[in-house]
Amino acid sequence: MKRGLAFILAVFLLIGMLAGCSGEQKADAGKKTQDGKVVVDFWTFWGSETRRPIIEKIIEDYNNSQDKVFVKHTFLPWGDIWTKNLASVAAGNPADVIINDINTVSQRAENKQVEELSKYIDDSFKQQFYPHLWDTVEYEGKAYAVPFNTDTRLLFYNKKAFKEAGLDPEKPPATWAELEEYAKKLDVKNGKQYDRVGFYPLWGSVGASSWMTNADSGKGFIDNGELAINTPKKVEALEWILGWKERLGENTVQAFQAEFGSEQANPFIAEKVAMWVDVGTFYTQLRDYGQDLEFGVAPLPEYEEGAGNWAEGGGFVAEIPKGAKNPEEAMDFIKYLTGPEAQKYWAVKNYDNVANIEAAEATIEELKGPDKMVYEATVKNLEQTKMFPVPVEYPDYHSRINPQIDNALLGKTTPEKALEKAENDVEKMKKK
Amino acid sequence: MKSSESTLAHREAGTNIIPERKSTNAAVKKKGLSRKAKDNLAGYLFISPWIIGFLGLTLGPLLFSLAASFTDYNITSKMNFIGLENYKRMFTMDDLFRTSLYNTIYYVIFSVPLTTAGAILLAVLLNQKVKGMKFFRTIYYLPAILSGVAVYFLWMQLLSPSTGLVNTMLGWFGIEGPAWLFDPEWTKPALLLMKMWSVGGGMLLYLASLQGVSSQMYEAADIEGATAWQKFYHITLPMISPIIFFDVITSTIGSFQIFQEAYVMTENGSGGPGNSLLFYNLHMWNNAFEVFDMGYASAMAWLLFIIVMILTVLNMKLGKRWVHYEGGDGK
């Protein structure tokens, strides 16, 4: 019996040792190529047919441009990349560069999941990027990431439908009141059924929160650390959305929504919906699948004249996970990745909004025709685009607000009560 | 009782334990290891993958999470002892904790009896001597072999409010179906409906045990003039009660752990409209991996363990009143 135990212990030790050795070997070797270049492991979630070749071309260009560093691209699926990154940071063996969410940089900075970058960065570097994007990567005055790409929301409208309805196709709705007025004219009804819906505020790449901040002069749910959830304008916005739902009827909304798809099945492309809010890249679907569609783009209508056409934005940053082995080489690559050349290539090929101002403007120059028209509109719209980074005191605050908005939109409570409860709930979760 | 209980426990844990062998040629003394020691060694060697797995991958993390539950552990930067703060926070500050516990208990209360009764009913029906029974058994068992996520996507389409098959069929009878996964009042019933569809797995257990019920008892009952219901209630149910007991305990534990369904079937794994599908484990997962509050999530995990433990002990105690073990004296 005792010998049995001893034997098992021996087996344990053996296995432990084997595991230990193999781990260490991996960490030391494999970080350099055969010709002595430092290997920078770069994690992205861009594995699609369109995006993968583009990012890999950028990496290849960088690798060919110098002889010290070799960037190795590792694709991780969207659902896995953050958890894997977290686990590898905790284990002390993370990637050297990773693409991560732009709105949660300060969370990661606070929790020591990313390297601080100040020592690699000066003012002239910082000034390459749109200020509203740069703001998101700073936490307590220090930079922890570099913005890579972003998006913004525009109103796409069907010009042919405008003409049919007797509206001026060169004059898109500028205010909420006009939006409503135009939408009613653009509705096409067949008895009780709708053949075409003029507009519905929750369709497309937009949610209730976008309209609430649009109404509230671009003020998010948390404004400079103060809660601004239960404000009169936000209540009004929620009531306004409910009004649309009541007018069209729950059944119409659901029936339309059930048919929604992308490409040819996109309701705006299929001309089932005449006005539609979406991000700039939506244009590529219009270009490829909506040849017969005559469309225009405009900023989101403003709550009232002079209130501002505020839109919500998102995006991604490049950052160095805490504990990365080659931060200097990693930063060198990040500088290339967010520099004018790579950013322009990404912008032109992906039709995506990039963070680098020079690259965005060069992209406008290069594009032609409708490509240029829409891209220019998105770039211009960045001026009225707000980012809503998650403050460290209120991680996950959306989880307290969204269910209340759901309840209000489902008629289980009034907008006023819903937002009051949401504000209370968020207040309670505040971290000291 | 003793032996069947322990096999149940092993089966539940999904482990293979080699039954203890009684050494028949007792203690033949030789040089080196005795026969018994050799046997023991071989036995331990055979189960060593499991022991290593258990110590390294289960017990270690288990104890770690217990320790973490008393800290503000956030995976990367903090691990300070904060006493019972996490446990206090659950009951005093976290509204979603209450919502998630309510949703989970609601689900357990309905899903355990419904799936158990459904599986028994199906097993009894499929135990009849009718032509083509094998075909029906296969059909009803099929859903159980389909794997999780694919099934959830299938049901999301079936339950689509205006174009889904379920509401279309209800429409034939003039019933306007609910919005299922989009209406907070109907999301949990929708999940229960989906669960009922795959009772085939439990059915198979019952079917096997039904076939082990001696026909003599039914014959005797027939002679006494018992009705079908009396036969079912007084013979069938007691005879399969050990399996019912096993099924109730495992499915209670399983139901408390519901996670995938809500994670896959709600937008961004958020917990559905109005948080109506925010189950305990989903809330825990969000705390652990969305906001990195691993200490708090660990505390939640341990509280769930305590709740499930209490219920299981309760089940075990109550079980003595109604579970009938053949050949035993009920102890």
Side-chain angles (χ1 to χ4, degrees):
Chain A
M1 184 66 208
K2 260 190 187 159
R3 278 181 196 231
L5 268 177
F7 185 79
I8 286 162
L9 275 174
V11 171
F12 259 116
L13 287 174
L14 193 71
I15 290 174
M17 262 161 61
L18 285 175
C21 289
S22 65
E24 251 163 61
Q25 263 174 1
K26 225 179 177 179
D28 287 340
K31 284 284 175 188
K32 284 203 171 167
T33 57
Q34 282 176 342
D35 48 358
K37 289 182 187 172
V38 175
V39 175
V40 164
D41 195 10
F42 175 39
W43 288 11
T44 79
F45 46 84
W46 292 317
S48 70
E49 261 172 74
T50 24
R51 299 214 153 170
R52 190 164 193 155
I54 298 170
I55 191 66
E56 290 190 342
K57 170 80 170 52
I58 292 175
I59 294 170
E60 199 190 317
D61 285 350
Y62 174 77
N63 283 339
N64 292 335
S65 75
Q66 43 72 53
D67 49 14
K68 289 197 187 78
V69 182
F70 178 80
V71 176
K72 188 183 115 227
H73 179 218
T74 307
F75 159 69
L76 290 162
W78 172 251
D80 286 347
I81 189 163
W82 317 136
T83 20
K84 262 210 157 119
N85 179 43
L86 189 63
S88 66
V89 169
N93 195 17
D96 294 296
V97 181
I98 187 170
I99 297 294
N100 214 326
D101 173 36
I102 199 168
N103 279 322
T104 45
V105 177
S106 45
Q107 301 284 328
R108 291 190 295 279
E110 161 78 14
N111 292 333
K112 301 206 171 58
Q113 296 169 10
V114 276
E115 291 285 348
E116 198 236 305
L117 306 176
S118 304
K119 62 180 163 205
Y120 309 108
I121 286 170
D122 54 20
D123 275 355
S124 72
F125 178 77
K126 191 171 142 173
Q127 275 153 18
Q128 293 182 82
F129 304 98
Y130 288 99
H132 73 289
L133 299 180
W134 190 264
D135 285 346
T136 63
V137 304
E138 281 194 351
Y139 174 60
E140 293 183 339
K142 286 178 181 151
Y144 287 86
V146 181
F148 181 79
N149 64 346
T150 185
D151 61 14
T152 183
R153 275 131 193 91
L154 292 170
L155 182 77
F156 291 80
Y157 64 96
N158 185 330
K159 288 190 174 174
K160 206 169 74 197
F162 265 53
K163 281 180 224 159
E164 276 170 28
L167 294 162
D168 180 356
E170 299 312 318
K171 214 180 138 284
T175 60
W176 285 22
E178 274 180 21
L179 183 65
E180 252 182 297
E181 182 197 324
Y182 287 22
K184 280 178 194 157
K185 286 185 187 159
L186 288 162
D187 285 343
V188 176
K189 276 179 103 170
N190 183 1
K192 271 191 161 183
Q193 301 267 13
Y194 279 82
D195 284 344
R196 185 175 73 204
V197 170
F199 182 73
Y200 185 68
L202 298 180
W203 290 344
S205 187
V206 63
S209 64
S210 291
W211 294 108
M212 289 158 84
T213 50
N214 174 291
D216 212 359
S217 320
K219 220 195 276 177
F221 289 122
I222 298 167
D223 192 52
N224 285 325
E226 297 290 314
L227 296 190
I229 301 164
N230 186 19
T231 66
K233 289 275 168 63
K234 290 205 174 79
V235 172
E236 211 177 306
L238 208 45
E239 275 163 358
W240 179 75
I241 295 171
L242 264 178
W244 287 89
K245 198 172 196 175
E246 272 156 28
R247 187 169 68 79
L248 292 173
E250 182 77 49
N251 286 342
T252 309
V253 173
Q254 269 179 14
F256 266 73
Q257 231 159 282
E259 315 267 313
F260 284 4
S262 60
E263 301 173 350
Q264 290 95 332
N266 174 279
F268 182 74
I269 294 174
E271 307 197 45
K272 302 276 276 178
V273 178
M275 295 185 283
W276 180 261
V277 176
D278 220 315
V279 292
T281 42
F282 176 61
Y283 165 73
T284 57
Q285 288 187 42
L286 292 175
R287 181 189 64 197
D288 299 341
Y289 301 98
Q291 280 88 351
D292 305 328
L293 197 71
E294 247 187 276
F295 71 92
V297 285
L300 292 195
E302 52 189 349
Y303 169 73
E304 59 192 11
E305 249 186 278
N309 311 74
W310 300 106
E312 212 174 332
F316 296 97
V317 294
E319 62 188 29
I320 304 176
K322 189 90 189 171
K325 298 279 181 304
N326 309 302
E328 254 164 68
E329 288 80 3
M331 192 61 205
D332 194 60
F333 173 61
I334 290 181
K335 282 186 174 166
Y336 180 82
L337 191 65
T338 56
E341 194 189 329
Q343 289 262 293
K344 186 183 154 201
Y345 183 75
W346 177 271
V348 172
K349 290 285 170 182
N350 261 330
Y351 206 81
D352 201 6
N353 281 109
V354 286
N356 188 299
I357 302 172
E358 190 189 326
E361 274 157 11
T363 306
I364 301 176
E365 290 302 307
E366 181 157 327
L367 296 172
K368 288 183 184 68
D371 292 13
K372 187 193 178 98
M373 186 263 292
V374 178
Y375 196 83
E376 198 169 1
T378 63
V379 171
K380 201 163 166 280
N381 211 51
L382 291 181
E383 282 165 29
Q384 306 191 73
T385 302
K386 280 264 192 169
M387 308 296 284
F388 298 110
V390 181
V392 290
E393 301 87 19
Y394 302 101
D396 197 27
Y397 71 92
H398 287 292
S399 70
R400 304 301 195 274
I401 300 177
N402 290 342
Q404 299 312 328
I405 294 180
D406 284 349
N407 284 338
L409 292 176
L410 287 161
K412 313 258 169 209
T413 178
T414 65
E416 213 173 346
K417 279 189 191 144
L419 293 187
E420 195 187 317
K421 174 142 175 46
E423 182 150 332
N424 279 337
D425 288 355
V426 173
E427 180 71 56
K428 257 195 258 178
M429 72 183 288
K430 180 170 182 170
K431 277 201 165 177
K432 282 137 219 157
Chain B
M1 169 83 192
K2 191 87 192 166
S3 79
S4 68
E5 202 179 28
S6 72
T7 31
L8 285 181
H10 297 320
R11 222 186 305 169
E12 186 185 312
T15 58
N16 299 310
I17 290 214
I18 296 174
E20 220 176 294
R21 234 197 300 159
K22 272 189 192 137
S23 176
T24 40
N25 329 349
V28 188
K29 291 220 169 164
K30 273 188 194 174
K31 276 179 195 171
L33 293 175
S34 71
R35 177 69 181 266
K36 198 175 173 199
K38 268 189 183 164
D39 272 0
N40 275 335
L41 179 61
Y44 281 114
L45 213 58
F46 274 118
I47 61 169
S48 64
W50 180 80
I51 290 184
I52 294 169
F54 175 73
L55 292 178
L57 301 173
T58 308
L59 191 67
L62 209 72
L63 293 176
F64 182 81
S65 81
L66 181 61
S69 75
F70 300 107
T71 69
D72 59 356
Y73 181 51
N74 70 349
I75 309 171
T76 44
S77 68
K78 284 188 296 192
M79 194 163 183
N80 307 312
F81 182 77
I82 54 166
L84 290 171
E85 203 50 46
N86 284 328
Y87 293 91
K88 232 162 75 190
R89 195 171 123 205
M90 271 181 245
F91 293 100
T92 53
M93 281 157 71
D94 188 0
D95 290 323
L96 295 188
F97 167 78
R98 233 168 298 160
T99 313
S100 70
L101 193 59
Y102 166 79
N103 286 339
T104 309
I105 290 174
Y106 179 109
Y107 177 75
V108 173
I109 284 179
F110 284 98
S111 87
V112 175
L114 279 173
T115 52
T116 309
I120 295 174
L121 183 71
L122 203 60
V124 170
L125 289 177
L126 293 177
N127 197 31
Q128 308 301 315
K129 288 186 181 62
V130 183
K131 230 180 165 188
M133 190 45 85
K134 278 188 180 149
F135 173 73
F136 287 112
R137 285 177 189 168
T138 313
I139 292 282
Y140 281 101
Y141 185 65
L142 266 181
I145 62 167
L146 297 175
S147 69
V149 176
V151 170
Y152 308 150
F153 275 97
L154 174 76
W155 274 89
M156 282 164 77
Q157 295 192 349
L158 291 178
L159 291 171
S160 159
S162 47
T163 52
L165 203 60
V166 174
N167 277 4
T168 310
M169 282 174 74
L170 286 174
W172 294 342
F173 302 101
I175 303 166
E176 201 188 324
W180 297 112
L181 293 167
F182 297 94
D183 182 343
E185 314 251 314
W186 282 96
T187 46
K188 285 185 282 283
L191 278 199
L192 290 168
L193 186 68
M194 182 177 91
K195 285 284 144 182
M196 290 301 289
W197 179 67
S198 52
V199 292
M203 175 274 287
L204 204 65
L205 276 181
Y206 289 115
L207 195 55
S209 93
L210 280 174
Q211 301 202 327
V213 180
S214 157
S215 58
Q216 289 175 350
M217 284 190 257
Y218 294 113
E219 281 160 17
D222 280 338
I223 293 169
E224 299 286 339
T227 62
W229 168 251
Q230 283 169 329
K231 279 192 282 183
F232 175 73
Y233 190 77
H234 292 291
I235 301 175
T236 313
L237 274 187
M239 291 309 284
I240 63 169
S241 61
I243 301 295
I244 300 180
F245 182 60
F246 167 71
D247 190 31
V248 165
I249 288 188
T250 50
S251 63
T252 307
I253 294 172
S255 300
F256 265 105
Q257 291 171 345
I258 179 170
F259 169 76
Q260 279 188 4
E261 290 81 349
Y263 187 64
V264 173
M265 296 171 82
T266 68
E267 212 180 325
N268 300 325
S270 62
N275 272 340
S276 57
L277 288 181
L278 185 80
F279 291 115
Y280 196 92
N281 275 3
L282 185 59
H283 186 42
M284 185 164 88
W285 195 93
N286 283 338
N287 271 309
F289 296 107
E290 295 286 313
V291 294
F292 318 123
D293 220 338
M294 197 55 92
Y296 184 63
S298 301
M300 282 188 71
W302 279 90
L303 188 79
L304 182 65
F305 171 74
I306 293 167
I307 294 173
V308 171
M309 197 67 195
I310 290 172
L311 283 175
T312 307
V313 169
L314 213 67
N315 255 330
M316 291 279 192
K317 289 253 185 271
L318 290 176
K320 284 186 186 153
R321 297 190 181 183
W322 59 271
V323 180
H324 169 80
Y325 290 104
E326 218 174 343
D329 53 2
K331 269 181 198 157

